[in-house]
Amino acid sequence: RNEDSSSSGHCLVLSRLANAVTPLWRLPYQEQLQVKYESQRKTLQTLTSRLEELGVDAQKPGGLCCPLQPVVPSPIINGYRNKSTFSVNRGPDGNPKTVGLYVGTGRERNIVCVKANHLENIPSKHKQVAQCYEEFICQSPLDSCILFHEGGHWRELVVRTTRCGHTMAVITFHPQQLGQEALATQKALLKEFFTCGPGAVCALSSLYFQESTMTRCSHEQSPYQLLHGAPHIFEELLGLRFRISPDAFFQVNTAGAQVLYQAVGELCQAAGDTVLLDICCGTGTIGLSLAHQVSKVIGVEVVEKAIEDAEWNAAFNGISNCEFHSGKAEAVLPQLLASWEDARPLVAVVNPSRAGLHYRVVRAIRNCRAIRRLLYISCKPEGEAMRNFLELCCPPDPRKKLAGEPFAPMMAIPFDMFPHTVHCELVLLFTR
């Protein structure tokens, strides 16, 4: 009976993780798409109502501010993620060095770390690297770092893979009071395990190590240290080759990104004399994939290493009509657009994080008369992006320095970049 109880408890915690990370995993895929369509419809209904409150005559036939297209399905439904982040914490069996994903909340003090072997959106290669990392830290005399103030060292693992067959692993380590000699020993052991030991089965293309005393840490704050292999991995998309650094943004579903970028290219309606403004450009994937359609691409991105990748990507692919600017969009863009005198048509594509665009970015876009067409790609349109939509479409407001003519939503197309989850990538086309 004890064995039955233990097995039942194990199955329960696996289901809890699957339900938390991939809530739609039990539904047939077509039903998942319908659930997402209804969710996006509610988002547009909210946007329509909010615009009406601002005095904008937004309601079109069908009751929405613009037509909502069916959800574009993902070409790959299972194991589609090219990047996974695994935590290290106490597992259901009490093992403090379990590598997996969290179930529970800090408030209720019931967090456990559960292995992700059963999750359908994570590819087998990522699960293999996570299992090997757990094997390594379980052999280590050093503790896992569950709470910073309680000590311990071994922290999260990021795995990135590409369709070219490359695998990058990035291991975060809290140095605590260890000296340089002790740190060098740990790095040597880690390298040996993944190159000559049991971890060699992972065939890593790149193994990185980062010492971090913070929850999240950029390369500038604490450099990624290459322990083994090449400094970058490579991906091919729409006939181009892209270089990817440890912390550079790249759409998590590569096959889905290909479909998305093709649609973005069509929606831009960019003629040969168009200038494309690619805001939050990451490694330049959108701008570079559309460079052949336009006269010039201008990319803006906060992550310096991503800009280095974007410039390399442009040069490697023989693309000479792109320029990339490193820095926060709210600092770079107003300066760039304030002095804009180019007579060529200007189309903007924005692809921000879930936090949306900074108000100064929206204001710079609104106040630049040359921008008549804007594509907003949002992974969470019901969140902070909603604020951006309203700022783009509201009547001119001198108090907020929104002097430019408002935009109007013309079309919404959801793309399923995250099968089995409730999330969707929504592309909203605005014109004025």
Side-chain angles (χ1 to χ4, degrees), residues 142-337:
L142 300 183
D143 293 333
S144 56
C145 179
I146 293 175
L147 295 172
F148 287 8
H149 64 277
E150 291 184 359
H153 301 276
W154 299 113
R155 291 185 52 211
E156 71 180 27
L157 162 75
V158 174
V159 185
R160 304 186 76 151
T161 48
T162 68
R163 297 187 296 184
C164 298
H166 301 159
T167 303
M168 175 188 287
V170 183
I171 289 166
T172 308
F173 183 91
H174 197 308
Q176 302 292 357
Q177 308 305 317
L178 290 183
Q180 288 304 309
E181 189 175 334
L183 283 168
T185 298
Q186 294 308 313
K187 288 185 274 190
L189 289 170
L190 198 57
K191 178 181 176 180
E192 182 183 12
F193 179 86
F194 277 104
T195 55
C196 309
V201 69
C202 299
L204 295 181
S205 311
S206 310
L207 174 61
Y208 275 97
F209 183 88
Q210 187 186 40
E211 300 163 31
S212 174
T213 58
M214 294 178 279
T215 306
R216 283 283 182 274
C217 194
S218 68
H219 174 77
E220 287 72 33
Q221 292 167 314
S222 180
Y224 291 97
Q225 303 169 46
L226 182 66
L227 302 187
H228 163 72
H232 307 94
I233 55 176
F234 296 87
E235 186 57 281
E236 292 178 359
L237 196 68
L238 296 172
L240 301 176
R241 190 171 176 84
F242 292 96
R243 186 178 91 172
I244 303 171
S245 294
D247 60 344
F249 171 77
F250 200 91
Q251 283 285 357
V252 79
N253 180 340
T254 307
Q258 188 150 304
V259 175
L260 173 65
Y261 296 162
Q262 284 173 325
V264 167
E266 293 169 8
L267 290 168
C268 279
Q269 293 186 358
D273 61 342
T274 302
V275 176
L276 177 69
L277 187 58
D278 187 4
I279 304 167
C280 310
C281 67
T283 55
T285 46
I286 293 177
L288 292 171
S289 64
L290 303 182
H292 66 286
Q293 291 181 218
V294 300
S295 60
K296 185 178 183 180
V297 173
I298 301 173
V300 179
E301 168 61 42
V302 67
V303 180
E304 287 182 25
K305 285 291 179 182
I307 287 293
E308 288 178 22
D309 288 344
E311 290 171 341
W312 185 94
N313 293 334
F316 182 84
N317 290 289
I319 299 171
S320 57
N321 63 338
C322 296
E323 67 178 55
F324 296 99
H325 299 262
S326 175
K328 291 182 177 180
E330 59 267 29
V332 175
L333 199 67
Q335 198 172 10
L336 193 68
L337 294 181

Side-chain angles (χ1 to χ4, degrees), residues 322-383:
C322 296
E323 67 178 55
F324 296 99
H325 299 262
S326 175
K328 291 182 177 180
E330 59 267 29
V332 175
L333 199 67
Q335 198 172 10
L336 193 68
L337 294 181
S339 57
W340 189 266
E341 295 179 352
D342 199 313
R344 292 174 291 183
L346 182 59
V347 174
V349 176
V350 300
N351 186 17
S353 68
R354 292 186 179 188
L357 294 173
H358 192 282
Y359 176 69
R360 289 204 293 269
V361 177
V362 177
R363 190 172 67 193
I365 292 171
R366 270 286 299 255
N367 295 345
C368 179
R369 293 182 181 178
I371 301 175
R372 313 301 298 174
R373 198 172 187 88
L374 167 69
L375 280 169
Y376 195 120
I377 305 170
S378 175
C379 58
K380 194 176 182 183
E382 73 281 5

Side-chain angles (χ1 to χ4, degrees), residues 52-71:
E52 294 277 346
E53 290 169 8
L54 293 172
V56 178
D57 184 15
Q59 203 164 128
K60 303 293 189 296
L64 300 177
C65 56
C66 65
L68 175 63
Q69 303 298 312
V71 181

